[in-house]
Amino acid sequence: MIPPAVQRKFESACSDAGGLWDIKLRRLIALFEWFTWEGLADPHFVQELAAEDTYRERLSEMLVAYKLMRSGYELKSDSAGPDFWAYKGEQGFWVEVVTPRPTRIDPDYLAQTGATDEGMLEFPADQVLRRWTQAIDKKVAALLGPREGSPDGKRPGYLHKGIVKATQPYVIAVNGRNLRGKAGIGFNGSSGNPCAVEALFAVGPLHIRFDPIGNGFMRPSLGRSQRASIESPNGSPIPLTTFLDETYAQVSAVWALDIDEDEVLLDPAWPNLERNYFASAGVFNPLAVNPLAVGAFPTFEDWTCNISGDSYQLTHHNRIPFRPSR
């Protein structure tokens, strides 16, 4: 039985679904019933799902669980610790879900539905990247405890408490739906790659490089710069090198997403793949003590990194046949 307050939230979310309104609503209700029946909801889940300021955060947990279930994972959850333990047989990993709010992001960008008369579409890339980075950092802190010098002090993380064992993989699932403008951009950053890749591997904006080819001529080429940190609103640096730092080797991967209620209307177009392919990427930690393989969870693209001495190389893995590599 679905609580009336939750049903009203779902009805409101389905109001723009047109002729699919009834299907979308019934599937959301069925998802809620499955999620709670499986014991994946904590004691505050229903209350926070019905609340305006926490609705999308708790919805994200249901949708991530839904994606994992469709990919053949079994799930279990405790009231303390990460959101889920996802497993197939003896293989599994912890999943911690976070849905950053659009704090300090230009409201004009969030409200913009399309290009201006001049053909321009504003994208505050650094503002969006900060929110991705801060969301990841928050869930890293949940595992390891806050970074040194953090105002959160020395609060113990899941590892210190023994909730997550040192031998268990830990995945941070970030749903960037709140950071997407109405025009549909916000998942990829100024480099053209997912914001999660920029936040973890110091990938900077696209730039044009001019290489000499003789006789005073130069050949232009388009490439990506490197950026080790980004400024916070108060001017302090926010590191963009988490997956290049052995301090964070207990984090196995970041699963970047952009999902909302429409997820329940989509069916996989290919086995183990997702149809909304511009909105899911697995970013794997090359220094992970508990590494996960490409394809460990349902995405349309994955990113790995090879570190050699003082240099590193990122590799983009397509998981559908018709998308070009980057």
Side-chain angles (χ1 to χ4, degrees):
M1 185 69 177
I2 186 168
V6 173
Q7 176 152 343
R8 286 194 294 271
K9 291 296 294 184
F10 288 165
E11 288 172 351
S12 176
C14 296
S15 61
D16 61 350
L20 297 175
W21 183 91
D22 184 55
I23 296 174
K24 187 175 179 179
L25 177 60
R26 283 190 285 111
R27 290 186 180 181
L28 283 172
I29 292 172
L31 176 57
F32 171 85
E33 291 174 342
W34 166 80
F35 189 85
T36 52
W37 176 260
E38 291 292 321
L40 303 177
D42 62 37
H44 307 289
F45 180 80
V46 171
Q47 177 183 354
E48 293 180 355
L49 184 63
E52 185 65 32
D53 59 339
T54 51
Y55 165 74
R56 195 173 294 281
E57 295 168 25
R58 305 318 298 260
L59 175 72
S60 294
E61 295 173 22
M62 284 203 311
L63 296 176
V64 168
Y66 177 58
K67 292 175 83 71
L68 289 166
M69 178 268 289
R70 289 193 313 188
S71 295
Y73 283 97
E74 295 184 71
L75 302 171
K76 60 181 180 180
S77 180
D78 296 319
S79 57
D83 293 303
F84 315 114
W85 174 253
Y87 62 99
K88 292 180 181 180
E90 297 182 356
Q91 302 297 317
F93 51 86
W94 288 105
V95 182
E96 181 78 330
V97 183
V98 58
T99 307
R101 300 181 185 185
T103 308
R104 294 179 183 266
I105 291 183
D106 184 357
D108 290 338
Y109 150 73
L110 295 172
Q112 188 175 5
T113 57
T116 64
D117 293 339
E118 294 77 26
M120 303 295 291
L121 192 65
E122 297 295 331
F123 176 48
D126 284 3
Q127 294 176 13
V128 172
L129 179 59
R130 273 196 288 267
R131 298 303 295 136
W132 277 90
T133 304
Q134 290 162 353
I136 293 169
D137 189 60
K138 177 182 178 181
K139 294 308 180 180
V140 169
L143 177 69
L144 304 177
R147 293 182 192 263
E148 186 176 349
S150 167
D152 292 331
K154 297 184 177 180
R155 186 176 66 250
Y158 298 144
L159 274 173
H160 182 80
K161 294 176 181 178
I163 297 172
V164 174
K165 296 181 175 61
T167 57
Q168 292 176 325
Y170 179 82
V171 175
I172 301 170
V174 185
N175 181 12
R177 174 62 183 84
N178 286 334
L179 310 180
R180 184 213 307 169
K182 289 186 177 181
I185 60 174
F187 186 76
N188 291 334
S190 59
S191 68
N193 297 327
C195 290
V197 173
E198 297 181 0
L200 297 164
F201 287 118
V203 177
L206 287 168
H207 64 175
I208 297 176
R209 174 178 174 176
F210 293 89
D211 298 309
I213 57 176
N215 297 322
F217 292 98
M218 308 288 282
R219 177 187 292 118
S221 61
L222 189 65
R224 291 170 179 85
S225 59
Q226 189 176 47
R227 180 165 56 166
S229 65
I230 188 173
E231 281 193 359
S232 70
N234 63 14
S236 59
I238 300 172
L240 301 177
T241 54
T242 299
F243 277 5
L244 301 174
D245 187 338
E246 291 183 349
T247 305
Y248 308 106
Q250 287 291 157
V251 180
S252 303
V254 167
W255 181 7
L257 300 151
D258 184 340
I259 51 176
D260 56 24
E261 296 88 351
D262 286 343
E263 182 72 21
V264 299
L265 294 175
L266 301 173
D267 294 314
W270 299 275
N272 301 316
L273 295 177
E274 297 300 309
R275 189 171 173 184
N276 52 335
Y277 55 90
F278 281 120
S280 55
V283 187
F284 295 85
N285 188 349
L287 303 175
V289 296
N290 302 304
L292 292 170
V294 166
F297 33 86
T299 63
F300 256 54
E301 61 180 293
D302 287 333
W303 293 79
T304 57
C305 178
N306 180 54
I307 299 176
S308 178
D310 294 332
S311 64
Y312 63 97
Q313 181 174 350
L314 292 171
T315 300
H316 175 234
H317 305 266
N318 294 313
R319 300 196 60 207
I320 53 176
F322 53 80
R323 288 186 66 194
S325 295
R326 283 180 281 181

